[in-house]
Amino acid sequence: MSVAIYPGSFDPITYGHLDIVERAAAVFDRLVVAVLRNPRKAALFDEDDRIEVIRRAIAEELPPEVGRRVSIDRFDGLTVEAARRHGAGFVVRGLRAVSDFESELQMAHFNRKLAPGIDTVFFMTALEHAYLSSSLVKEIARFGGDVRGMVPAAVAERLQSVAAGWSADPTVG
Ligand code: PNS
């Protein structure tokens, strides 16, 4: 059975990520979406929120057979350690543009050095989602922009309620 791990910050998950989940689930028998808990990086959503919206996005927006192959977990520490825990032989990452390639290549080499039995597999982000980034989506929401169509409905709802809090108190966010 082929198992892959798809690690990321997912703060929050976008349609670019969700598309990679669907396509990777068609290639591997099992896909673990692994949400990084990174105390050094200030996240807008805590892991529980990030996991909850990923769960809803998969259930609400992907076919049920995809959902059956995908699980969600959180991790801190090394991606390759999380991969080992799940028995994953592959790390999945998306490439939106050439600008992503350099850092992703470096990460893939580091990960292979650390765990020679684990390979990185890249999926090219679908053209219609290639402009998306979690940080810019957050910025757009921050200034009251409409993020539907960029992120799953569960995320858009969550961002809207967070943004409502920001506009009520302009000193936060
Ligand atoms: O969604 P992101 O922020 O681009 O994901 C980056 C991620 C989580 C894949 C990367 O930061 C990572 O693997 N972090 C875990 C620590 C680790 O394994 N570092 C060595 C990789 S070179």
Side-chain angles (χ1 to χ4, degrees):
M1 186 170 81
S2 60
V3 182
I5 188 170
Y6 179 23
S9 304
F10 303 110
D11 182 42
I13 190 168
T14 68
Y15 274 133
H17 298 124
L18 197 62
D19 173 59
I20 302 282
V21 169
E22 180 168 17
R23 286 159 56 205
V27 171
F28 301 104
D29 297 315
R30 212 158 61 70
L31 180 74
V32 181
V33 178
V35 176
L36 177 70
R37 188 181 152 269
N38 186 352
R40 289 187 313 267
K41 198 165 159 187
L44 174 61
F45 297 109
D46 66 22
E47 303 110 74
D48 289 340
D49 278 345
R50 282 180 273 156
I51 287 170
E52 175 57 24
V53 291
I54 294 170
R55 199 180 307 286
R56 268 191 62 191
I58 291 170
E60 292 171 3
E61 306 202 24
L62 295 183
E65 62 272 20
V66 174
R68 283 194 283 275
R69 286 169 182 258
V70 179
S71 59
I72 310 166
D73 196 12
R74 70 192 74 205
F75 77 107
D76 45 26
L78 294 175
T79 285
V80 291
E81 290 304 334
R84 283 191 182 117
R85 273 200 303 281
H86 286 283
F90 303 93
V91 174
V92 164
R93 292 287 288 168
L95 289 175
R96 290 166 299 185
V98 175
S99 51
D100 283 341
F101 183 75
E102 213 167 317
S103 57
E104 292 294 337
L105 178 71
Q106 190 180 27
M107 257 198 309
H109 283 314
F110 267 118
N111 284 336
R112 214 159 115 74
K113 187 79 184 164
L114 291 166
I118 298 176
D119 245 315
T120 301
V121 176
F122 293 108
F123 285 79
M124 306 308 141
T125 301
L127 200 52
E128 65 269 32
H129 304 309
Y131 69 100
L132 289 171
S133 95
S134 298
S135 352
L136 288 178
V137 163
K138 283 183 282 190
E139 184 171 299
I140 290 164
R142 167 80 182 87
F143 293 112
D146 186 356
V147 295
R148 285 171 304 173
M150 302 174 191
V151 290
V155 176
E157 277 171 27
R158 198 62 69 95
L159 277 172
Q160 256 166 7
S161 60
V162 172
W166 283 331
S167 52
D169 180 356
T171 62
V172 296

